[in-house]
Amino acid sequence: MTGHQARFNRSLFTAQAGDDERLAQLFSGEDIELVLDLRSEAEGIQIARTCVQIDTYYVSRPSLLEAKGREGDTWAAGLALRHRTCLIGGPDESRRAVARRIAESAGQRVIDLDLSPAPIVFSVK
């Protein structure tokens, strides 16, 4: 039998927003396809531009910070299953809490790129 088997991602990545060049390297190193930003569109305008340059989808969704927004968790979990996703923005603990909620909805694990024991090192030769 030939056919297409659906690929589901087992991990949801998260990282602190800020240094767009560092984030772009992290996204490229982890083959991130979608960036979910917990900040407003105005706060994320620079990383949105960076995502366009590195051919990565970008969505600003500050409503995910609200604990009562469980339908948003389901929406984000669906995306995270289909696309390698990195959640950025917001204070560390809030961001990590949202990542845990989304990952729980999707049956995924959370990988915090800021705390990774094996940081990705880039060099140009």
Side-chain angles (χ1 to χ4, degrees), residues 17-29:
D19 182 350
D20 294 337
E21 185 175 321
R22 179 188 71 88
L23 286 174
Q25 289 177 341
L26 288 172
F27 298 159
S28 295

Side-chain angles (χ1 to χ4, degrees), residues 51-111:
C51 286
V52 168
Q53 293 171 351
I54 62 172
D55 200 27
T56 301
Y57 296 111
Y58 172 86
V59 177
S60 171
R61 195 58 57 115
S63 62
L64 290 172
L65 282 168
E66 300 171 14
K68 63 183 178 196
R70 295 294 182 178
E71 66 275 353
D73 293 353
T74 303
W75 170 84
L79 288 176
L81 283 170
R82 289 189 292 284
H83 304 281
R84 281 181 68 89
T85 301
C86 186
L87 184 74
I88 66 167
D92 284 347
E93 283 311 309
S94 297
R95 174 177 42 87
R96 290 182 186 123
V98 172
R100 283 190 297 270
R101 284 193 341 242
I102 293 168
E104 186 178 284
S105 295
Q108 295 175 307
R109 64 183 174 164
V110 176
I111 297 176

Side-chain angles (χ1 to χ4, degrees), residues 20-46:
D20 294 337
E21 185 175 321
R22 179 188 71 88
L23 286 174
Q25 289 177 341
L26 288 172
F27 298 159
S28 295
E30 293 296 339
D31 296 323
I32 299 297
E33 300 168 329
L34 171 67
V35 173
L36 281 176
D37 196 340
L38 296 174
R39 301 172 300 164
S40 70
E41 286 184 30
E43 291 174 301
I45 195 152
Q46 190 56 48

